Amino acid sequence: EVAKRLGKTIEFQDMSFEALIPQAELGAVHVIAAGMTPTENRAKKVFFTQPYIVGDSLLIVGLLNRLDIGSLEALKQKKRVVVNQGYTADLFMSTIEGPELIRLETPAEAFLALEQGRADAFVTARNTLIPFFQTHDEKEYVITPIQETVEQTAMIVSKKYPDLLKQIQAVLDEIEADGTMLSLKQKWGIHV
């Protein structure tokens, strides 16, 4: 929607999450629209738009037969916890003493680790789960919110293109004001 309103074409590039910011720093990637959470450290390297998703809580996900992992306190008891490398859950769980963190690239890999018994729990943001539960039965899992945690999502623009940041932010403000943002969130089942 942003590219359409700016009259620009998009060339999608599929790369690991960890490569995104370095590629933007180089100017090889102009914009990142990959569920990025603004952090102070990242803001030293790239520009962020204002968040367009706010309040996406972190969740503990476990198999239904694993009721012993339903709290942050339980995870501190040396549980094996999957996080997606570089995601907000990774940053949050890295500050918690006790769990053994297993960093994997994708949510699909995290669910596979759960199902194979290589992990006790998966910690992630609510909206990360939406695509998975479109094809899998949510009732097979125990899902527990981690109190007082929220994730925000913003677009990133390379610092090599400051004018592009202004243009994108203006469009994001416009689609928020005209109701398009809400419509898109509803279409894609994004909660918040």
Side-chain angles (χ1 to χ4, degrees), residues 13-45:
Q13 295 182 16
D14 188 14
M15 60 183 68
S16 72
F17 196 81
E18 292 299 312
L20 294 173
I21 290 178
Q23 288 297 302
E25 283 183 284
L26 293 171
V29 171
H30 293 78
V31 178
I32 300 171
M36 280 285 192
T37 299
T39 67
E40 190 175 311
N41 189 42
R42 289 174 178 166
K44 293 175 185 174
K45 302 172 185 178

Side-chain angles (χ1 to χ4, degrees), residues 40-191:
E40 190 175 311
N41 189 42
R42 289 174 178 166
K44 293 175 185 174
K45 302 172 185 178
V46 293
F47 293 128
F48 281 95
T49 64
Q50 291 299 309
Y52 55 89
I53 297 175
V54 178
D56 191 9
S57 61
L58 295 180
L59 305 173
I60 301 168
V61 180
L63 296 175
L64 192 55
N65 63 349
R66 291 300 308 268
L67 299 177
D68 62 327
I69 53 89
S71 71
L72 193 54
E73 286 303 313
L75 297 183
K76 292 179 182 179
Q77 307 307 310
K78 302 208 182 291
K79 299 296 184 192
R80 296 167 298 156
V81 178
V82 176
V83 292
N84 292 126
Q85 189 169 351
Y87 284 39
T88 302
D90 182 8
L91 301 174
F92 174 77
M93 290 303 296
S94 294
T95 66
I96 306 298
E97 287 190 41
E100 173 192 337
L101 295 185
I102 302 168
R103 291 178 172 88
L104 299 175
E105 289 286 318
T106 67
E109 290 175 293
F111 276 103
L112 188 58
L114 271 179
E115 291 168 3
Q116 292 175 340
R118 294 184 290 127
D120 299 305
F122 172 33
V123 175
T124 192
R126 177 177 305 283
N127 284 315
T128 302
L129 300 176
I130 293 168
F132 183 81
F133 288 134
Q134 289 175 341
T135 58
H136 295 79
D137 188 0
E138 189 173 337
K139 293 177 186 165
E140 296 177 17
Y141 298 89
V142 176
I143 301 170
T144 309
I146 300 175
Q147 299 301 315
E148 298 179 21
T149 61
V150 293
E151 182 172 69
Q152 298 180 23
T153 300
M155 293 177 79
I156 287 178
V157 178
S158 170
K159 286 196 173 186
K160 301 222 182 249
Y161 309 102
D163 289 341
L164 186 57
L165 173 67
K166 294 174 190 170
Q167 294 168 9
I168 290 173
Q169 187 60 59
V171 170
L172 287 173
D173 293 344
E174 180 182 300
I175 65 175
E176 182 69 43
D178 71 15
T180 303
M181 184 70 76
L182 179 60
S183 182
L184 288 169
K185 288 176 183 179
Q186 291 171 339
K187 175 181 178 179
W188 296 105
I190 296 172
H191 299 274

